[in-house]
């Protein structure tokens, strides 16, 4: 994730590029964490980096299903925010990458970004007075939701070990050290990132 999204050719490419940039922010927040660190909830809330990654994969799959009016993934909502002992950070990151590919494939199969997407009924946070959104709206919402949780992941990560966005990005992308940013490195005695 370079600091900015590269130039885009059209709306669809732009929406997917900005969504992917936010996904990369989440992946950067997870960079170099152990499974144990990814399970830590070091703030006043219960959010963990691993749980956020897992939740975002589930969230994307559900919205992709809504876009094409397919059955959504049935999952325990609370469990979707937890990296269980039988799960690894590497596994949920791989699943998140797969969910991103699935979203891109779903969007590629839709020719009209204005195509109506029926609003699911009976969900307390969805409006009752709106019958449909558009595919465009859903993609903008995915960007919004991912960005919100990328911010959560940044805060949780900083509370875990003090690491912040730009040094993590520099380390993940192999940037050289500069006067502006020093790539993150694990604490002395810690295992290097996988």
């Amino acid at each position: 994730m370079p600091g900015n999204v590269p130039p885009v050719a059209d709306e669809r490419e732009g929406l997917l590029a900005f969504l992917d940039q936010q996904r990369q922010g989440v992946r950067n927040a997870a960079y170099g964490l152990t499974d144990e660190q990814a399970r830590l909830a070091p703030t006043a809330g219960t959010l963990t980096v691993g749980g956020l990654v897992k939740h975002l994969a589930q969230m994307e799959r559900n919205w992709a299903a809504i876009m094409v009016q397919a059955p959504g993934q049935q999952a325990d909502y609370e469990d979707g925010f937890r990296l269980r002992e039988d799960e690894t950070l590497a596994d949920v990151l791989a699943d998140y990458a797969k969910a991103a590919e699935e979203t891109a494939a779903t969007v590629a199969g839709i020719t009209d970004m204005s195509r109506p997407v029926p609003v699911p009924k009976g969900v307390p946070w969805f409006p009752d007075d709106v019958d449909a959104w558009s595919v465009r709206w859903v993609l903008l919402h995915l960007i919004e939701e991912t960005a919100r949780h990328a911010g959560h992941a940044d805060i949780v990560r900083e509370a875990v070990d003090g690491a912040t966005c730009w040094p993590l990005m520099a380390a993940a992308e192999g940037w050289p050290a500069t006067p502006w940013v020093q790539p993150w490195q694990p604490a002395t005695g810690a295992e290097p990132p996988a």
Side-chain angles (χ1 to χ4, degrees):
M1 174 181 111
N4 292 294
V5 170
V8 297
D10 58 33
E11 177 186 29
R12 178 187 315 265
E13 184 182 345
L15 291 168
L16 290 172
F18 274 88
L19 176 57
D20 196 53
Q21 182 188 41
Q22 295 308 310
R23 287 185 194 117
Q24 188 59 44
V26 173
R27 289 188 289 268
N28 287 343
Y31 182 78
L33 288 177
T34 65
D35 291 339
E36 293 74 27
Q37 289 172 314
R39 289 186 188 97
L40 291 176
T43 64
T46 60
L47 295 177
T48 68
V49 173
L52 286 164
V53 172
K54 185 176 168 182
H55 166 71
L56 284 165
Q58 290 175 353
M59 181 271 303
E60 273 205 41
R61 285 191 173 105
N62 284 332
W63 278 106
I66 290 169
M67 275 193 280
V68 294
Q69 301 175 40
Q73 182 183 44
Q74 297 301 313
D76 178 331
Y77 184 77
E78 294 297 321
D79 182 62
F81 278 97
R82 275 191 221 93
L83 182 63
R84 297 186 317 256
E85 289 295 324
D86 65 331
E87 297 172 317
T88 67
L89 180 59
D91 288 343
V92 296
L93 284 166
D95 187 54
Y96 190 31
K98 185 175 181 200
E101 291 171 5
E102 293 164 5
T103 298
T106 297
V107 173
I110 299 171
T111 56
D112 181 6
M113 298 296 284
S114 296
R115 190 179 89 192
V117 176
V119 175
K121 298 302 177 196
V123 180
W125 49 85
F126 291 164
D128 287 331
D129 60 342
V130 175
D131 291 326
W133 293 306
S134 65
V135 170
R136 175 183 302 103
W137 184 96
V138 171
L139 287 172
L140 287 166
H141 177 68
L142 285 174
I143 294 166
E144 170 198 31
E145 181 85 3
T146 305
R148 176 181 297 123
H149 288 316
H152 291 142
D154 282 344
I155 291 166
V156 172
R157 174 58 188 266
E158 188 170 0
V160 167
D161 68 355
T164 59
C165 174
W166 290 99
L168 285 166
M169 186 188 320
E173 294 186 3
W175 296 1
T178 69
W180 302 284
V181 66
Q182 298 292 313
W184 171 84
Q185 294 181 4
T188 306
E191 291 295 315

